[in-house]
Amino acid sequence: MNKTRGLIIAGNWKMNHGPRATADFFTQLKTGWAKLPAAAAQALQAGSVHARIFTPAVSLTAARESAAGTPITIGAQNAHGEKDGAFTGELSAGLLQEVGIGSTLVGHSERRQFFGETDATARARAEGLLAQGMEVMFCIGETRVEREGGQTKAVLERQIDQGMTAAMFSAGAGAHGFPRFTLAYEPVWAIGTGLNATPEQAEEAHQMIRKHLWTRFGVENASRTPILYGGSVKPDNVASLLDGSNVDGALVGGASLKADSYLALLAACGKYAYA
Ligand code: PGA
């Protein structure tokens, strides 16, 4: 199977792994790297597959330093769109860039669920961050009640309509060749629950999203934007989820915390062609 947009395998460590555990993770990862199947290692080296880990803020520098010598890049889990100012507890693009961090998640469902993030605030963050040169992985997804109520399509379309603008899709490519603006579809009912979407459910939602991006932002923007799947992705289900032709990677919480498990996710990328 051909993955013309490449693949992004992203880890989201959430509120886990301080600097010490981060250094240990990368020590183990470097030891295990040699065991990656040649095809996966080659795709990572060539940049067809991009590996990224979103760490807690206090671990960003340790992660960036420990990841040196690997193709893995490090991102933040949240950042503010303003350049500076009275925003206690927040991080700006400039603060992150000063410590060598050029990417961040925006609008993760846990930010929406527990910290008052809305489509509008996520949009403002993404707009500001992209304008300051950051890469943004923007998260969307429906809750269990919304899915069971037949609202999945309407919710995803609302999150796109209210959270995204044409300018985001014109942000161009980042340092690793992937667009600076990427999407992650994470059904809330599948996050941390062990209930992953089936490959068919994931592909169906990704198709819905891409179709709506096409309608709103044109065929080129729709077809070049990577859409990652997230929600209980594990080494034993990652390959079937990635088989979806509109699935361009995975955003992984729990299964990204251990080096062996993260390496097993990367290994799954060896079965695709990337021309
Ligand atoms: P999970 O988390 O893989 O632990 O379900 C995914 C996420 O929230 O990004």
Side-chain angles (χ1 to χ4, degrees), residues 233-269:
V233 177
K234 311 276 179 225
D236 63 2
N237 64 20
V238 65
S240 56
L241 287 159
L242 291 178
D243 276 349
S245 60
N246 284 285
V247 178
D248 308 309
L251 177 56
V252 187
S256 73
L257 288 170
K258 294 216 164 87
D260 281 355
S261 173
Y262 187 65
L263 282 165
L265 299 170
L266 296 179
C269 299

Side-chain angles (χ1 to χ4, degrees), residues 10-12 14 105 108-110 139 186 190-194 230-234 251-256:
N12 171 15
K14 309 192 181 188
L105 294 174
H108 188 277
S109 67
E110 286 150 17
C139 307
E186 297 205 303
I191 295 179
T193 57
S232 297
V233 177
K234 311 276 179 225
L251 177 56
V252 187
S256 73

Side-chain angles (χ1 to χ4, degrees), residues 3-254:
K3 288 283 181 191
T4 50
R5 279 180 291 267
L7 287 172
I8 303 173
I9 303 296
N12 171 15
W13 282 358
K14 309 192 181 188
M15 202 165 67
N16 299 288
H17 287 353
R20 272 193 301 271
T22 297
D24 289 347
F25 174 94
F26 281 100
T27 303
Q28 286 162 23
L29 184 118
K30 285 176 180 172
T31 309
W33 196 268
K35 283 183 257 156
L36 270 180
Q42 245 160 38
L44 280 151
Q45 216 53 54
S48 315
V49 176
H50 188 58
R52 173 164 295 163
I53 297 182
F54 298 100
T55 78
V58 293
S59 304
L60 288 168
T61 296
R64 198 179 50 71
E65 289 170 0
S66 314
T70 78
I72 299 177
T73 61
I74 307 302
Q77 296 172 8
N78 184 39
H80 203 281
E82 294 293 327
K83 286 200 171 74
D84 48 37
F87 300 105
T88 302
E90 292 283 333
L91 294 172
S92 65
L95 293 175
L96 289 167
Q97 287 159 345
E98 189 175 332
V99 294
I101 302 300
S103 71
T104 181
L105 294 174
V106 165
H108 188 277
S109 67
E110 286 150 17
R111 301 300 314 169
R112 295 174 187 256
Q113 221 178 329
F114 304 127
F115 304 102
E117 191 85 76
T118 63
D119 294 331
T121 60
R123 185 186 67 221
R125 287 178 190 271
E127 281 177 326
L129 291 161
L130 287 164
Q132 294 172 80
M134 295 289 287
E135 294 183 36
V136 167
M137 185 174 289
F138 195 103
C139 307
I140 58 175
E142 80 288 357
T143 64
R144 187 170 61 85
V145 171
E146 289 163 344
R147 174 161 284 261
E148 288 171 358
Q151 293 298 303
T152 300
K153 184 165 181 282
V155 168
L156 295 176
E157 291 186 354
R158 187 208 75 218
Q159 289 174 328
I160 292 168
D161 292 346
Q162 299 188 10
M164 299 175 200
T165 65
M168 295 179 185
F169 294 90
S170 319
H176 308 281
F178 288 84
R180 281 206 289 129
F181 185 66
T182 54
L183 267 60
Y185 166 63
E186 297 205 303
V188 179
W189 49 272
I191 295 179
T193 57
L195 288 175
N196 62 285
T198 63
E200 294 73 27
Q201 283 172 322
E203 174 60 20
E204 187 190 27
H206 282 231
Q207 267 177 29
M208 267 179 210
I209 292 166
R210 204 176 299 284
K211 220 178 251 174
H212 197 62
L213 295 182
W214 181 329
T215 311
R216 287 295 314 266
F217 305 114
V219 59
E220 265 186 45
N221 287 327
S223 50
R224 73 165 162 241
T225 301
I227 308 172
L228 280 64
Y229 169 77
S232 297
V233 177
K234 311 276 179 225
D236 63 2
N237 64 20
V238 65
S240 56
L241 287 159
L242 291 178
D243 276 349
S245 60
N246 284 285
V247 178
D248 308 309
L251 177 56
V252 187

